[in-house]
Each structure stands twice: as C-alpha cells, then as structure tokens.
Amino acid sequence: MTIDLSFVLDPQFFSLVILPLLIFTARVVDVTFGTLRIIFVSRGLKLLAPVVAFIEILIWLVAISQIFQNIGSVVNYIAYAAGFAVGSYVGIIVEERMAIGLMLVRIITHHDPKNLISALKSNDFGVTVVDAVGKHGPVRLIFLVVKRKDLETVIGMVHQHNPNAFYTLADVRSANGGVIPHLYRKPRRWLSGRYRKGK
C-alpha cells in the first residue's frame, strides 16, 4: 500500500498549510529565544545573551521574509501573530525550567522563627535576621539570597515552620560574599517534610 503525498507539493496547499505552519514554528522559536535573551540580559549573562540574540534575529529574518513574499495571505498573518503569542508563553516556561540566577527572599513573621532559621542554616543557606515592628507589634525579618533552583526548598521550609509568615521574592542581578550554597550543587526539593536531591 502506497500513500500519495503529491498533494504536499501542490502550490495552493503549500501556501495555505505548509507555509503558515513554518512561519508559526519559526515565530515560536524566535520569540522563545527573544524572551530568554531579555532574561539573560537582566541577569547579566554577557556570553549567552549575544548568542541567543544572533539566533533570534536570524530566525526572525527568515519568518518575516516569507511574510513579505506572501504579503497578501491573511493565513500567514495569523500564523505569525499566533507564533508570537505561543513563543512568549514557551519562553517563560523554558526560563522557569532553567531557573537561572539568584533570588532575594524576605520573610516577615510574628511567630518565633527559631526552627525556620535552624532549618535554613542546616541546609547551608546564609540567613540575616532583623528585629522590627509591624502594624500588629514586634516581627522578625529574615533575609536570604538563594539560587532560583533552591527557591522551592526555601518556600517549603517557610510553609513547614512558619505557615502564616509573609514573604516576598525579588530578582538579584549579582551578589558578592555572604553564604550562598555552591552554584553547581543539585537543588533539593521539599516533599512531605523531607528533602530529596533534585534529578
């Protein structure tokens, strides 16, 4: 039994189906790289950002050239716009999976954070604790800088030891000194009150 694929070469099928799919795919990849480039620039990754920018603009030129060659096709416009939207989403997902960079964690708690502080220190996190006064009385402020890959572990400790604590997260462009677990250490995940090494 043979399958006739000659329809793929039909000019009308190519212009209405194949070409829009190629434009859509190119735009998804292009915007994904663009999202990563912006993140790399914000993280100060001077080597990765230019490489990603080169790939991004190369793919963009290929996609836009096809649009101009078929400028009257509404299907190509839709494929281009849809690829931009999907690429933005995919870029964010990829960046979250890569988890590059450092985060500043600020924790504010009314309750005694002794157990939380002990858990953080026992897992090699540098902790700074400050006494302060909030709206409802004395509070403790806990500051620490962690790798994004370790953020889940830290938040798990907060939920375990001080579930009602208020915390905020902020990106850190760079850090010097202090106690931050080794850059290449595999992250540990919080699971059922225990730590397991990330795979």
Side-chain angles (χ1 to χ4, degrees):
M1 180 179 178
T2 59
I3 300 176
D4 184 13
L5 298 177
S6 60
F7 68 92
V8 175
L9 302 178
D10 179 69
Q12 186 174 5
F13 181 82
F14 182 84
S15 63
L16 291 178
V17 179
I18 302 299
L19 184 57
L21 282 175
L22 291 175
I23 291 173
F24 172 81
T25 303
R27 197 63 178 132
V28 169
V29 176
D30 153 41
V31 177
T32 298
F33 275 100
T35 303
L36 292 176
R37 173 180 54 80
I38 293 170
I39 292 167
F40 291 161
V41 169
S42 68
R43 298 281 193 276
L45 301 175
K46 298 177 182 178
L47 296 179
L48 277 177
V51 173
V52 171
F54 176 82
I55 298 172
E56 173 197 356
I57 199 63
L58 185 63
I59 297 172
W60 181 84
L61 287 172
V62 171
I64 201 67
S65 67
Q66 293 302 315
I67 289 288
F68 282 133
Q69 289 177 19
N70 300 272
I71 200 165
S73 175
V74 176
V75 177
N76 288 348
Y77 295 155
I78 294 173
Y80 187 87
F84 186 91
V86 174
S88 299
Y89 177 79
V90 172
I92 294 171
I93 297 300
V94 170
E95 193 277 334
E96 288 178 349
R97 295 289 185 183
M98 294 174 69
I100 295 174
L102 300 172
M103 298 290 293
L104 170 63
V105 183
R106 307 180 189 91
I107 306 166
I108 304 175
T109 177
H110 292 279
H111 303 289
D112 184 5
K114 183 171 61 176
N115 291 336
L116 173 59
I117 294 169
S118 177
L120 291 169
K121 288 182 176 180
S122 66
N123 283 272
D124 303 324
F125 293 109
V127 179
T128 300
V129 184
V130 179
D131 291 323
V133 177
K135 181 179 180 181
H136 301 291
V139 295
R140 303 292 292 278
L141 306 182
I142 304 171
F143 298 89
L144 63 156
V145 175
V146 301
K147 294 186 302 179
R148 292 191 66 204
K149 291 181 179 180
D150 286 329
L151 188 58
E152 182 182 343
T153 297
V154 172
I155 299 305
M157 292 180 188
V158 174
H159 290 162
Q160 176 72 14
H161 298 289
N162 291 79
N164 296 320
F166 172 78
Y167 63 86
T168 61
L169 309 173
D171 285 325
V172 175
R173 183 179 176 87
S174 63
N176 184 39
V179 180
I180 302 174
H182 193 271
L183 183 62
Y184 300 105
R185 191 196 73 190
K186 290 185 177 180
R188 286 168 288 186
R189 307 284 183 186
W190 183 265
L191 181 63
S192 301
R194 294 182 179 179
Y195 301 104
R196 60 184 177 86
K197 292 185 178 180
K199 297 179 179 179

